[in-house]
Amino acid sequence: MKGRRKADLQTLDLFAAADDGDTVVLSTTDWLAALERLADAGLLRRLDSALAAFVAAQDAEAGPALLVATAVLAQMEGRGHSCLPLKALAGDPNQILAWPKEAERLQQSLWEQLPGRLADWLQALRRSPVVRVVQPGTVAADRGQPLVLLDGAAPLLYLRRYWNYERSVAAHMAQRTAADAVALDEPRVREWLGRLFSSSAAAANAVDWQKLACALALRGHMSVITGGPGTGKTYTAARLLALLFATAPDAAQLRVALAAPTGKAAARLKQSIDSSLLELKEAVGRELDLEALVKRMGAARTLHSLLGARPDTRRFAHHAGNPLDVDVLIVDEASMIHLEMMAALLQALPPTARLILLGDKDQLASVEAGAVLGDLCRDAQQGHYAPDTVAYAERVTGQSLPAAYRATGPALPLAQHTVMLRASRRFSGPIGQLALAVNAGDAPGAMDLLRAQTLSGPQAELWAREGGEVEAVVRSAVQGRGGRASYAAYAERLAQRGQGGFATEAEHQQWVRDVLAAFDRYRLLCAVRDGSWGVAGLNRAVEQALQAQGAIRKEGEWYRGRPVMVTRNDAQLGVFNGDIGMALPSFADPARLRVYFLQGEHLHHVSTARLAHVETAFAMTVHKSQGSEFEHTALVLAAQGGNVLSRELVYTGITRARQAFSLWSEAPGLLASAIASPTRRSSGLLRWLAADEQS
């Protein structure tokens, strides 16, 4: 007869056999207690174990497979996955758990008490009333179940909310990429493409990918343009706008909007689009009033601002029932858009409006769940262009696509509206070479390049140090290396006028702009938030170093020269998550500090008393740096980084640098380990797209 003993919840030695050899039988209460202890140990979140407890309360027959699957699913959502691949859960849970090496024994003992076959996991999920079972090609009854099982050969488990988001995004994408959505005057398109793009690429018998991107974007209501830094994504988008205005029958009525996930990225998008359009004046002559177009577009906005974010809710003012008043929407830094935001954006966009997504598919995905751009661009490298796309491209661009980029079988409509830009005009030197090596997973090549550059001296474009004390990072940040940009320039500008002394407001504003520009030349980028090698520790250390040399006087939370990052959208104040500002004395009252933000060319200021959601920004996470560029970037890798240290994080950090890049690693081997660890987020979006596009 099988016995039962009390589980040892303190040590989590839950599953060892009893002294008499009998098998331990754990109740639902025991399993929930075990999940709570896993949360105590940091292997799960409190939210994960709480969701399992909620499921147990809704299903009196909930067994260990359902409870564990629920907790792991919730944990994966917290790490950016939109679903749980059940094959991995049944076969090799190490693929998805992301638990540290020291927890391997615990994981093994836990899984010995769980089903060993996928079929048994599926059976446990199918019979539960909290799980909605959806078969491929069928629509199951929706009774408000919190979990959704997408059954089939590769089953996926979803939280209800993310299943709805993914289905919504796929349906909208399939609709927008319909090949016959837009009728074109092809001779006119060919004429204008010839005027907007030089013939240098054609002369060299090479594909002009920018020209191709513009041509393909005209065919439907959705276009994806991806590429690394310096490949000309906004340059291409500007020419696409000119092309739209030159060929659209209702050009005078076109309403254009620009947006990005962060305020900084939005400002850069507007500046880049405007300058690129004005450069085209000679090519378009008097036929297009580009200056009027620039004025018509207005300022670029954050996605939250564009959609009308409502404070303290997940809802927006704009949705399917109140769509955006726009005909063309260009969104930059699309890699940062999470699944929920993409669903909201697509629902709010009128069906006839054009959506152009710009972004680097190889950058870090969003902090929240989903890797939408990565999913959409999964096959961008190969092209997979169908015969009708190839023929159309040749008719309007005059260039033939090589066989390597042509589809050899059925081609999905999405691929016909996706173009990868391949030639970088900015990253041809050591920074570009390092980014390419990292992106290719070539850790030895990346390390060799860094070592060679470091040996050439502190003035080199690349420089690295593995190991050592964090104080060296701080000294480099405030003093610089080899004449490269650092916070020394910011400290110098800050001290120029003491506590006031400005004759005019214009003079004061110029000083504010100079301080902000000097600060933005350099940035410390961290992999983690906590610890001496993280954002919190480095912000404190840099503050102390600057105070020691007299550059700042920190006597409270707010001080003259404090750089801050906004951490929460506040439409009323005109500031949004990710915006960077500086606390400086005002012209009207030099004794009172205000926080100044440069939004495009406009200088915006807010009282320190009204800014509740900010943090000091000498150091910031790599995630928060997306959409920004700095003359000199220093990437700081902490030994406690764990699974955060990924190939995408390193690549993103490198590509924030324009002229110089420094790597600081708390311990040897962290960079190589990160390069060898590409991020793969679980998602069913491509499966849904394939199903919708083929239906």
Side-chain angles (χ1 to χ4, degrees), residues 262-264 302 564-567 574-581 597 599:
T262 67
K264 186 77 170 179
T302 66
V564 295
M565 174 185 289
V566 178
T567 59
V575 296
F576 297 90
N577 188 8
D579 288 355
I580 301 285
F597 300 87
Q599 299 175 341

Side-chain angles (χ1 to χ4, degrees), residues 508 512 558-562 581-597 604-611:
H508 171 266
V512 171
W558 289 102
Y559 56 87
R560 184 176 180 269
R562 182 193 179 193
M582 183 78 65
L584 295 167
S586 71
F587 175 73
D589 186 1
R592 184 163 295 181
L593 296 176
R594 301 188 73 81
V595 181
Y596 290 85
F597 300 87
H604 176 63
H605 58 84
V606 181
S607 167
T608 57
R610 301 185 68 189
L611 278 177

